[in-house]
Coordinates of all heavy atoms in Angstrom, one line a residue:
L84 N 2.4 -9.1 23.0 CA 3.7 -8.7 23.5 C 4.8 -9.4 22.7 O 4.7 -10.6 22.5 CB 3.8 -9.1 25.0 CG 5.0 -8.6 25.8 CD1 4.9 -7.1 26.0 CD2 5.1 -9.4 27.1
F85 N 5.8 -8.7 22.3 CA 7.0 -9.2 21.6 C 8.2 -8.8 22.4 O 8.4 -7.7 22.6 CB 7.0 -8.7 20.2 CG 6.0 -9.3 19.2 CD1 4.6 -9.1 19.4 CD2 6.4 -10.2 18.2 CE1 3.7 -9.7 18.6 CE2 5.5 -10.8 17.4 CZ 4.1 -10.6 17.6
M86 N 9.0 -9.8 22.8 CA 10.2 -9.5 23.6 C 11.4 -10.2 23.0 O 11.3 -11.3 22.5 CB 10.0 -9.8 25.0 CG 9.6 -11.2 25.3 SD 10.5 -12.2 26.6 CE 12.1 -11.7 26.5
A87 N 12.6 -9.6 23.3 CA 13.9 -10.2 23.0 C 14.8 -9.9 24.1 O 14.8 -8.7 24.6 CB 14.4 -9.6 21.7
L88 N 15.6 -10.8 24.5 CA 16.5 -10.7 25.6 C 17.9 -11.1 25.1 O 18.1 -12.2 24.6 CB 16.1 -11.5 26.8 CG 17.0 -11.3 28.1 CD1 17.0 -9.9 28.6 CD2 16.5 -12.3 29.2
R89 N 18.9 -10.2 25.1 CA 20.1 -10.5 24.6 C 20.8 -11.5 25.4 O 20.8 -11.5 26.6 CB 21.0 -9.2 24.6 CG 22.2 -9.3 23.7 CD 23.0 -8.0 23.7 NE 22.3 -6.9 23.0 CZ 22.2 -6.7 21.7 NH1 22.8 -7.6 20.9 NH2 21.6 -5.7 21.2
L90 N 21.4 -12.5 24.8 CA 22.1 -13.6 25.5 C 23.6 -13.2 25.6 O 24.1 -12.3 25.0 CB 21.9 -14.9 24.7 CG 20.5 -15.4 24.5 CD1 20.4 -16.6 23.6 CD2 19.9 -15.7 25.9
E91 N 24.3 -14.0 26.4 CA 25.8 -13.7 26.5 C 26.5 -13.8 25.3 O 27.5 -13.1 25.1 CB 26.3 -14.7 27.6 CG 25.7 -14.6 29.0 CD 25.9 -13.2 29.6 OE1 27.1 -12.6 29.4 OE2 25.0 -12.6 30.2
A92 N 26.2 -14.7 24.4 CA 26.9 -14.9 23.1 C 26.7 -13.6 22.3 O 25.6 -13.1 22.2 CB 26.4 -16.1 22.3
D93 N 27.8 -13.1 21.6 CA 27.7 -12.0 20.8 C 26.6 -12.1 19.7 O 26.6 -13.1 19.0 CB 29.0 -11.7 20.1 CG 29.9 -10.8 20.9 OD1 29.4 -10.3 21.9 OD2 31.1 -10.6 20.5
G94 N 25.8 -11.2 19.6 CA 24.8 -11.2 18.5 C 23.6 -12.1 18.6 O 22.8 -12.3 17.7
H95 N 23.5 -12.7 19.8 CA 22.4 -13.7 20.0 C 21.3 -13.1 21.0 O 21.7 -12.4 21.9 CB 22.9 -15.0 20.6 CG 23.7 -15.8 19.6 ND1 24.9 -15.4 19.1 CD2 23.4 -17.0 19.1 CE1 25.4 -16.4 18.3 NE2 24.5 -17.4 18.3
A96 N 20.1 -13.3 20.7 CA 19.0 -12.9 21.5 C 17.9 -14.0 21.6 O 17.7 -14.6 20.5 CB 18.4 -11.6 21.1
E97 N 17.3 -14.1 22.7 CA 16.2 -15.1 22.8 C 14.9 -14.2 22.6 O 14.7 -13.2 23.1 CB 16.1 -15.8 24.1 CG 15.0 -16.8 24.2 CD 15.2 -17.8 25.3 OE1 16.2 -17.8 26.0 OE2 14.3 -18.6 25.5
I98 N 14.0 -14.8 21.8 CA 12.7 -14.1 21.5 C 11.5 -14.9 22.1 O 11.6 -16.0 22.3 CB 12.5 -13.9 20.0 CG1 12.5 -15.2 19.2 CG2 13.5 -12.9 19.4 CD1 12.1 -15.1 17.8
G99 N 10.5 -14.1 22.3 CA 9.2 -14.7 22.8 C 8.1 -13.7 22.3 O 8.3 -12.5 22.1
F100 N 6.9 -14.3 22.2 CA 5.8 -13.5 21.8 C 4.5 -14.1 22.1 O 4.4 -15.4 22.3 CB 5.8 -13.2 20.2 CG 6.2 -14.4 19.4 CD1 5.3 -15.4 19.1 CD2 7.5 -14.5 18.9 CE1 5.6 -16.4 18.3 CE2 7.8 -15.6 18.1 CZ 6.9 -16.6 17.9
A101 N 3.5 -13.3 22.3 CA 2.1 -13.8 22.6 C 1.1 -12.8 22.0 O 1.4 -11.6 22.0 CB 1.9 -14.0 24.1
M102 N 0.0 -13.3 21.4 CA -1.0 -12.4 20.9 C -2.4 -12.9 21.3 O -2.6 -14.0 21.6 CB -0.9 -12.5 19.3 CG 0.1 -11.8 18.7 SD 0.1 -11.8 16.9 CE -1.4 -12.4 16.4
A103 N -3.3 -11.9 21.2 CA -4.7 -12.2 21.6 C -5.3 -13.2 20.6 O -5.0 -13.1 19.4 CB -5.5 -10.9 21.6
P104 N -6.0 -14.1 21.1 CA -6.6 -15.2 20.2 C -7.4 -14.7 19.1 O -7.5 -15.3 18.0 CB -7.4 -16.0 21.2 CG -6.8 -15.8 22.5 CD -6.3 -14.4 22.5
Q105 N -8.1 -13.5 19.2 CA -8.9 -13.0 18.1 C -8.1 -12.7 16.9 O -8.6 -12.5 15.8 CB -9.8 -11.9 18.5 CG -9.1 -10.6 18.8 CD -8.8 -10.4 20.3 OE1 -8.7 -11.4 21.1 NE2 -8.5 -9.2 20.8
L106 N -6.7 -12.5 17.1 CA -5.8 -12.2 16.0 C -5.2 -13.4 15.3 O -4.7 -13.3 14.2 CB -4.7 -11.3 16.4 CG -5.2 -9.9 17.0 CD1 -4.0 -9.1 17.5 CD2 -5.9 -9.1 15.9
W107 N -5.4 -14.6 15.9 CA -4.8 -15.8 15.4 C -5.4 -16.1 14.0 O -6.7 -16.0 13.9 CB -5.0 -17.0 16.3 CG -4.4 -16.8 17.7 CD1 -3.5 -15.9 18.1 CD2 -4.5 -17.7 18.8 NE1 -3.1 -16.1 19.4 CE2 -3.7 -17.2 19.9 CE3 -5.3 -18.8 19.0 CZ2 -3.7 -17.8 21.1 CZ3 -5.2 -19.5 20.3 CH2 -4.4 -18.9 21.3
G108 N -4.6 -16.5 13.1 CA -5.1 -16.8 11.8 C -5.5 -15.7 10.9 O -6.1 -15.9 9.8
T109 N -5.2 -14.4 11.3 CA -5.6 -13.2 10.5 C -4.5 -12.7 9.7 O -4.7 -11.7 8.9 CB -6.1 -12.1 11.4 OG1 -5.1 -11.7 12.3 CG2 -7.3 -12.6 12.3
G110 N -3.3 -13.2 9.9 CA -2.1 -12.6 9.2 C -1.4 -11.5 10.0 O -0.3 -11.0 9.6
V111 N -2.0 -11.1 11.1 CA -1.4 -10.0 11.9 C -0.1 -10.5 12.5 O 0.9 -9.8 12.5 CB -2.4 -9.6 13.1 CG1 -1.6 -8.7 14.1 CG2 -3.5 -8.8 12.4
F112 N 0.0 -11.8 12.9 CA 1.3 -12.3 13.4 C 2.5 -12.1 12.4 O 3.5 -11.6 12.8 CB 1.2 -13.7 13.9 CG 2.6 -14.3 14.3 CD1 3.1 -13.9 15.5 CD2 3.3 -15.1 13.4 CE1 4.4 -14.4 15.8 CE2 4.6 -15.5 13.7 CZ 5.1 -15.2 14.9
M113 N 2.3 -12.5 11.2 CA 3.4 -12.4 10.3 C 3.8 -10.9 10.0 O 5.0 -10.7 9.9 CB 3.0 -13.2 9.0 CG 3.2 -14.7 9.1 SD 4.8 -15.3 9.7 CE 5.8 -14.8 8.3
K114 N 2.8 -10.1 9.9 CA 3.1 -8.7 9.7 C 3.9 -8.1 10.9 O 4.9 -7.5 10.8 CB 1.9 -7.8 9.5 CG 1.2 -7.9 8.2 CD 0.0 -7.0 8.2 CE -0.7 -7.1 6.8 NZ -1.9 -6.2 6.8
T115 N 3.4 -8.5 12.1 CA 4.1 -8.0 13.4 C 5.5 -8.6 13.5 O 6.5 -7.9 13.8 CB 3.2 -8.3 14.6 OG1 1.9 -7.8 14.3 CG2 3.7 -7.7 15.8
A116 N 5.6 -9.9 13.3 CA 6.9 -10.6 13.5 C 7.8 -10.1 12.4 O 9.0 -9.9 12.7 CB 6.6 -12.1 13.4
S117 N 7.4 -9.8 11.2 CA 8.3 -9.3 10.2 C 8.9 -7.9 10.6 O 10.1 -7.7 10.5 CB 7.5 -9.2 8.9 OG 8.4 -8.7 7.9
L118 N 8.0 -7.1 11.1 CA 8.5 -5.8 11.6 C 9.5 -5.9 12.7 O 10.6 -5.3 12.7 CB 7.3 -4.9 12.1 CG 6.4 -4.3 11.2 CD1 5.2 -3.7 11.9 CD2 7.1 -3.2 10.4
Y119 N 9.2 -6.8 13.6 CA 10.0 -7.0 14.8 C 11.3 -7.6 14.5 O 12.4 -7.1 14.9 CB 9.2 -7.9 15.8 CG 9.8 -7.9 17.2 CD1 10.0 -6.7 17.9 CD2 10.2 -9.1 17.7 CE1 10.6 -6.8 19.2 CE2 10.8 -9.1 19.0 CZ 11.0 -8.0 19.7 OH 11.6 -8.0 21.0
L120 N 11.3 -8.7 13.7 CA 12.6 -9.4 13.4 C 13.5 -8.5 12.5 O 14.7 -8.5 12.8 CB 12.3 -10.7 12.7 CG 12.2 -11.9 13.7 CD1 11.1 -11.8 14.7 CD2 12.0 -13.2 12.9
T121 N 12.9 -7.8 11.6 CA 13.7 -6.9 10.8 C 14.3 -5.8 11.7 O 15.5 -5.5 11.5 CB 12.8 -6.3 9.7 OG1 12.3 -7.3 8.8 CG2 13.6 -5.3 8.8
F122 N 13.6 -5.3 12.6 CA 14.2 -4.3 13.6 C 15.3 -4.9 14.3 O 16.4 -4.3 14.4 CB 13.1 -3.8 14.5 CG 13.6 -3.0 15.6 CD1 14.0 -1.7 15.5 CD2 13.8 -3.6 16.9 CE1 14.6 -1.0 16.5 CE2 14.3 -2.9 18.0 CZ 14.7 -1.6 17.8
L123 N 15.1 -6.1 14.9 CA 16.2 -6.8 15.7 C 17.4 -7.0 14.9 O 18.5 -6.7 15.3 CB 15.7 -8.1 16.3 CG 14.6 -8.0 17.3 CD1 14.1 -9.4 17.7 CD2 15.0 -7.2 18.5
F124 N 17.3 -7.5 13.7 CA 18.4 -7.8 12.8 C 19.1 -6.5 12.3 O 20.3 -6.4 12.3 CB 18.1 -8.7 11.6 CG 17.8 -10.1 12.0 CD1 16.6 -10.7 11.6 CD2 18.6 -10.8 12.9 CE1 16.3 -12.1 12.0 CE2 18.4 -12.1 13.2 CZ 17.2 -12.7 12.8
D125 N 18.3 -5.5 11.9 CA 18.9 -4.3 11.2 C 19.3 -3.2 12.2 O 20.2 -2.5 11.9 CB 17.9 -3.7 10.3 CG 17.6 -4.6 9.0 OD1 18.4 -5.6 8.9 OD2 16.7 -4.3 8.3
Q126 N 18.6 -3.1 13.4 CA 18.9 -2.0 14.3 C 19.5 -2.4 15.6 O 20.1 -1.6 16.3 CB 17.6 -1.3 14.5 CG 16.8 -0.7 13.3 CD 17.7 0.3 12.5 OE1 18.3 1.2 13.2 NE2 17.8 0.2 11.2
W127 N 19.3 -3.6 16.0 CA 19.7 -4.1 17.3 C 21.0 -4.9 17.3 O 21.4 -5.5 18.3 CB 18.6 -4.7 18.1 CG 18.6 -4.6 19.6 CD1 18.8 -3.5 20.3 CD2 18.4 -5.6 20.5 NE1 18.8 -3.8 21.6 CE2 18.6 -5.1 21.8 CE3 18.1 -7.0 20.4 CZ2 18.4 -5.8 23.0 CZ3 18.0 -7.7 21.5 CH2 18.2 -7.2 22.8
D128 N 21.6 -5.1 16.1 CA 22.8 -5.8 16.0 C 22.7 -7.3 16.4 O 23.6 -7.8 17.0 CB 24.0 -5.1 16.7 CG 24.2 -3.7 16.3 OD1 24.0 -3.4 15.1 OD2 24.7 -2.9 17.1
V129 N 21.6 -7.9 16.1 CA 21.4 -9.3 16.4 C 21.8 -10.1 15.1 O 21.4 -9.7 14.0 CB 20.0 -9.6 16.8 CG1 19.7 -11.1 16.9 CG2 19.7 -8.9 18.2
T130 N 22.5 -11.2 15.3 CA 22.8 -12.0 14.1 C 22.0 -13.4 14.2 O 21.8 -14.0 13.2 CB 24.3 -12.3 14.0 OG1 24.7 -13.0 15.3 CG2 25.1 -11.1 13.8
T131 N 21.6 -13.8 15.4 CA 21.0 -15.0 15.6 C 19.9 -14.9 16.7 O 20.2 -14.4 17.8 CB 21.9 -16.2 16.0 OG1 22.9 -16.3 15.0 CG2 21.2 -17.5 16.2
L132 N 18.7 -15.3 16.4 CA 17.6 -15.3 17.3 C 17.3 -16.7 17.8 O 17.4 -17.6 16.9 CB 16.3 -14.7 16.8 CG 16.4 -13.2 16.4 CD1 15.2 -12.8 15.6 CD2 16.6 -12.4 17.7
V133 N 17.0 -16.9 19.0 CA 16.7 -18.3 19.6 C 15.3 -18.2 20.1 O 14.9 -17.2 20.9 CB 17.7 -18.6 20.7 CG1 17.3 -20.0 21.3 CG2 19.1 -18.6 20.2
G134 N 14.5 -19.1 19.7 CA 13.1 -19.2 20.3 C 12.8 -20.6 20.8 O 13.5 -21.6 20.4
R135 N 11.8 -20.7 21.6 CA 11.5 -22.0 22.2 C 10.0 -22.2 22.1 O 9.2 -21.3 22.3 CB 11.9 -22.1 23.7 CG 13.3 -21.9 23.9 CD 13.7 -21.8 25.4 NE 15.1 -21.6 25.6 CZ 16.0 -22.7 25.7 NH1 15.5 -23.9 25.7 NH2 17.2 -22.5 25.8
T136 N 9.6 -23.4 21.7 CA 8.1 -23.8 21.7 C 8.0 -25.1 22.3 O 8.8 -26.0 22.0 CB 7.5 -23.8 20.3 OG1 8.2 -24.7 19.5 CG2 7.6 -22.4 19.6
L137 N 6.9 -25.3 23.1 CA 6.6 -26.7 23.5 C 6.3 -27.5 22.2 O 5.6 -26.9 21.3 CB 5.4 -26.7 24.4 CG 5.7 -26.2 25.8 CD1 4.4 -26.2 26.7 CD2 6.8 -27.0 26.5
E138 N 6.7 -28.7 22.2 CA 6.4 -29.5 20.9 C 4.9 -29.6 20.7 O 4.5 -29.7 19.5 CB 7.1 -30.9 21.2 CG 7.2 -31.7 19.9 CD 8.0 -33.0 20.2 OE1 7.7 -33.7 21.2 OE2 8.9 -33.3 19.4
R139 N 4.1 -29.7 21.7 CA 2.6 -29.8 21.5 C 2.0 -28.5 21.1 O 0.8 -28.5 20.8 CB 2.0 -30.3 22.8 CG 2.1 -29.4 24.0 CD 1.4 -30.0 25.2 NE 1.7 -29.3 26.4 CZ 1.1 -28.1 26.8 NH1 0.2 -27.6 26.0 NH2 1.5 -27.5 27.9
N140 N 2.7 -27.4 21.1 CA 2.1 -26.1 20.7 C 2.1 -26.0 19.2 O 3.0 -25.4 18.6 CB 2.9 -25.0 21.4 CG 2.3 -23.6 21.1 OD1 1.4 -23.5 20.3 ND2 2.9 -22.6 21.7
A141 N 1.1 -26.5 18.5 CA 1.1 -26.5 17.1 C 1.1 -25.1 16.5 O 1.8 -24.8 15.5 CB -0.2 -27.2 16.6
R142 N 0.5 -24.1 17.1 CA 0.5 -22.7 16.6 C 1.9 -22.1 16.7 O 2.4 -21.5 15.8 CB -0.5 -21.8 17.3 CG -1.9 -22.1 16.9 CD -2.8 -20.9 17.4 NE -4.1 -21.1 16.8 CZ -4.5 -20.6 15.6 NH1 -3.6 -20.1 14.8 NH2 -5.7 -20.8 15.2
G143 N 2.6 -22.4 17.9 CA 3.9 -21.9 18.1 C 4.9 -22.5 17.1 O 5.7 -21.8 16.5
V144 N 4.8 -23.8 16.9 CA 5.6 -24.5 16.0 C 5.4 -24.0 14.6 O 6.3 -23.7 13.8 CB 5.4 -26.0 16.1 CG1 6.1 -26.8 14.9 CG2 5.9 -26.6 17.4
G145 N 4.1 -23.8 14.2 CA 3.8 -23.2 12.9 C 4.4 -21.8 12.7 O 4.9 -21.5 11.6
A146 N 4.3 -21.0 13.8 CA 4.8 -19.6 13.7 C 6.3 -19.6 13.4 O 6.8 -18.9 12.6 CB 4.5 -18.9 15.0
M147 N 7.0 -20.5 14.2 CA 8.5 -20.5 14.0 C 8.8 -21.1 12.6 O 9.8 -20.5 12.0 CB 9.1 -21.4 15.1 CG 9.0 -20.8 16.5 SD 9.8 -19.1 16.6 CE 11.5 -19.5 16.5

Side-chain angles (χ1 to χ4, degrees):
L84 188 70
F85 284 70
M86 56 132 322
L88 184 61
R89 196 176 294 280
L90 300 173
E91 295 300 317
D93 270 352
H95 289 66
E97 186 162 354
I98 57 170
F100 41 80
M102 280 185 15
Q105 69 267 21
L106 299 176
W107 297 353
T109 65
V111 169
F112 171 76
M113 283 305 294
K114 283 183 185 178
T115 306
S117 180
L118 283 171
Y119 191 61
L120 269 58
T121 298
F122 169 79
L123 292 173
F124 288 132
D125 291 350
Q126 303 296 317
W127 208 47
D128 301 331
V129 171
T130 58
T131 304
L132 295 170
V133 177
R135 298 170 180 272
T136 60
L137 289 176
E138 192 173 51
R139 67 176 165 81
N140 180 356
R142 283 196 175 276
V144 169
M147 292 303 289

